[in-house]
Amino acid sequence: MKKIVMGFLSYLTDFKNIRNLKDEMKLYNQTDEYQIFLYRPEPDQDFVGIVGIQMTEQFVMLRYISLAPNYRDQQNEFNLLADLAHAFPNDEVLATLSTLDY
């Protein structure tokens, strides 16, 4: 699913540069602390986005969300975050300065 993830990352300004994109992919391949989850609204649908997180013993840090252009709305953002909270029921999900709006 590497190409799918890279496609969604390329929507984000920080990863339009191929060097930054490759460095980010390397980060996720080197450690379990950083994880990317693919998102789809329904099990039978295609993936429409990703969420990047950093896991610690105390919390889960939301690093970014990237959705396909047709799915960039509050409902999909809310559903994605609800799924993330459901995946980590015993951890607090925190935001970075760039993800506070979510």
Side-chain angles (χ1 to χ4, degrees), residues 9-74:
L9 283 175
S10 70
Y11 286 132
L12 301 172
T13 304
D14 291 345
F15 305 116
K16 292 199 182 291
N17 176 309
I18 192 71
R19 175 85 173 154
N20 292 349
L21 181 60
K22 287 181 178 181
D23 287 346
E24 187 71 6
M25 292 301 294
K26 190 185 303 183
L27 176 70
Y28 284 95
N29 289 321
Q30 291 178 342
T31 177
D32 290 336
E33 180 181 350
Y34 295 91
Q35 294 186 18
I36 292 180
F37 293 95
L38 293 161
Y39 168 71
R40 58 179 154 202
E42 298 294 329
D44 60 338
Q45 290 184 317
D46 291 334
F47 295 110
V48 300
I50 60 170
V51 59
I53 64 167
Q54 180 180 0
M55 296 174 37
T56 72
E57 290 184 21
Q58 297 84 18
F59 56 85
V60 173
M61 179 68 67
L62 176 65
R63 296 187 66 228
Y64 48 74
I65 292 175
S66 179
L67 292 166
N70 292 343
Y71 292 89
R72 293 178 186 163
D73 58 46
Q74 279 188 322

